Amino acid sequence: MQLKAPFLSLFLAAGFCLASDDVDDTPLPLVIWHGLGDTFDGEGIQQVASLAEAINPGTFVHIVSLGDDANADRSATFFGNVTSQLETVCEALASHPILSTAPAIDALGFSQGGQFLRGYVERCNNPPVRSLVTYGSQHNGIVEFKACGSTDWLCKGAMALLRFNTFGAFVQSRLVPAQYYRDPADYDAYLEGSNYLADINNERAEKNEKYAERIAKLSNFVMYLFSEDTTVVPKVTGWFQEVNGTDVIPLRKRQMYKEDWLGLKKLDEKGGLRFRSIDGDHMQITEEALNETMSDFYGPYGRTFKAEKAAEGLWDEL
Ligand SMILES: *[C@@H]1O[C@H](CO)[C@@H](O)[C@H](O)[C@H]1NC(C)=O
Ligand SMILES: *[C@@H]1O[C@H](CO)[C@@H](O)[C@H](O)[C@H]1NC(C)=O
Ligand SMILES: *[C@@H]1O[C@H](CO)[C@@H](O)[C@H](O)[C@H]1NC(C)=O
């Protein structure tokens, strides 16, 4: 018996009449979270969704949206409390008629969408993520974000706020990029005031063990870095590296990795932590890289992955 997607009928039916092989061949749904200033219906995002379908036919793609229309969704990339935004997304995915019946999902995060999907894994993970892939995300925060076009007043207004009492509750509860702002030279203020990143990076004295468990359980956590990224400062935040003054500390040399605050070491030991790069500036994503992501990490539920302990690469080499 041959059932086509949607996933819902397949997985509902699976328990009753399908052999397990049929289930194993079904591609997992893919959840995409777009970046700052983008919208769920943007052309680029839609193209990514079509590629997913072309490479892994039958893939159900869900694009995260935080508003009923494109304007509201775009505005929510700049303004809002990331913790409550994430709660909204967690509820939406957990109650989604198709996603909630899948045994797992794959996830693709662009820029800030990457650290938000990582937060989804750590805080909710229902349905659980198999492969989390991020492109140019700010896993270790930013000290600067040059994302605004010259006439993008929404963006400029947001960025003007960023510099104004960054770690005060007013800015932290309203301005999205402030919630992943992190300056090692002003680390205590960050630890105390950060409404998002300090928590999901498990940097505070009290660690959340669930976070580490859930990250370690991923099959893959793949971080793509744009080698010529001039928008995100520092760019190596895309590989979770620390830049403190002139020191650049690769993830594997960091205390957070060695003491495994986030389960990244555990994940690395099973070959699931992967560092990749793309030649180009922020979000100059190539179709080649997207194809690689889709075929290496997404697709059939029953597939296996080649373990890898790739070199992380150094700042100098980029
Ligand atoms: C953000 O929202 C969460 C959940 O509603 C709340 O607990 C937290 O206090 C809010 N953060 C700020 C800085 O207001
Ligand atoms: C950054 O470097 C300064 C000076 O060496 C040090 O005091 C500070 O603790 C470092 N910050 C972090 C987050 O490691
Ligand atoms: C990416 O995959 C699609 C679908 O298979 C294909 O049409 C396209 O040529 C591929 N692009 C590259 C750059 O390999």
Side-chain angles (χ1 to χ4, degrees):
M1 180 172 115
Q2 198 63 37
L3 263 186
K4 289 236 169 80
F7 224 81
L8 174 64
S9 49
L10 189 55
F11 277 93
L12 285 183
F16 305 105
C17 63
L18 285 185
S20 65
D21 277 359
D22 293 324
V23 176
D24 285 359
D25 285 347
T26 306
L28 287 186
L30 173 62
V31 171
I32 302 176
W33 198 323
H34 63 73
L36 186 75
D38 209 345
T39 57
F40 66 89
D41 62 351
E43 201 188 328
I45 294 290
Q46 297 300 329
Q47 280 169 4
V48 175
S50 342
L51 264 190
E53 161 68 28
I55 306 257
N56 296 305
T59 303
F60 175 81
V61 180
H62 175 84
I63 298 161
V64 167
S65 171
L66 279 160
D68 295 335
D69 57 42
N71 277 337
D73 185 40
R74 179 166 195 272
S75 174
T77 69
F78 294 107
F79 300 107
N81 174 334
V82 175
T83 289
S84 26
Q85 291 184 343
L86 196 50
E87 280 170 6
T88 306
V89 172
C90 287
E91 279 164 26
L93 301 198
S95 62
H96 188 283
I98 295 175
L99 300 177
S100 64
T101 62
I105 56 174
D106 286 323
L108 176 56
F110 293 114
S111 198
Q112 70 180 17
Q115 62 264 30
F116 299 163
L117 278 171
R118 179 161 61 81
Y120 167 83
V121 172
E122 295 174 23
R123 290 189 180 165
C124 312
N125 213 30
N126 172 33
V129 173
R130 175 180 65 176
S131 295
L132 170 63
V133 182
T134 67
Y135 280 79
S137 296
Q138 295 85 45
H139 291 295
N140 203 50
I142 45 159
V143 293
E144 206 178 325
F145 213 148
K146 303 182 209 156
C148 306
S150 58
T151 58
D152 190 343
W153 305 113
L154 189 64
C155 181
K156 287 187 159 185
M159 293 309 156
L161 264 180
L162 182 58
R163 291 273 171 197
F164 172 76
N165 195 9
T166 308
F167 292 114
F170 183 88
V171 170
Q172 284 296 314
S173 61
R174 284 171 180 81
L175 183 64
V176 169
Q179 293 162 69
Y180 52 86
Y181 186 85
R182 182 185 179 279
D183 185 355
D186 197 10
Y187 194 56
D188 290 342
Y190 160 80
L191 280 185
E192 193 179 322
S194 171
N195 185 44
Y196 182 68
L197 196 71
D199 177 72
I200 60 146
N201 283 4
N202 246 347
E203 287 179 269
R204 296 194 171 111
E206 199 179 316
K207 312 293 180 205
N208 187 326
E209 283 173 21
K210 270 264 170 283
Y211 290 1
E213 257 170 49
R214 288 173 175 157
I215 292 290
K217 266 204 200 125
L218 288 167
S219 294
N220 304 287
F221 176 28
V222 190
M223 291 180 278
Y224 278 87
L225 175 76
F226 293 94
S227 66
E228 310 300 326
D229 200 325
T230 55
T231 300
V232 173
V233 185
K235 66 179 174 187
V236 291
T237 187
W239 275 353
F240 232 135
Q241 298 188 347
E242 171 85 321
V243 180
N244 188 358
T246 53
D247 292 339
V248 181
I249 309 160
L251 176 58
R252 288 178 179 129
K253 296 259 161 63
R254 298 183 61 187
Q255 187 189 6
M256 68 136 44
Y257 175 92
K258 292 182 189 164
E259 295 177 3
D260 215 13
W261 300 348
L262 269 187
L264 293 167
K265 183 163 179 251
K266 221 170 178 183
L267 180 61
D268 201 14
E269 282 162 0
K270 68 174 190 189
L273 183 66
R274 303 165 197 264
F275 302 89
R276 298 201 170 180
S277 64
I278 297 174
D279 293 331
D281 204 339
H282 194 58
M283 289 299 120
Q284 288 184 346
I285 301 174
T286 58
E287 194 176 272
E288 196 185 351
L290 284 167
N291 283 7
E292 178 187 80
T293 293
M294 314 273 178
S295 56
D296 288 359
F297 304 113
Y298 299 157
Y301 179 45
R303 66 168 296 175
T304 53
F305 300 97
K306 221 168 24 171
E308 148 186 340
K309 188 151 182 192
E312 185 173 343
L314 292 169
W315 171 264
D316 303 356
E317 292 163 1
L318 290 172

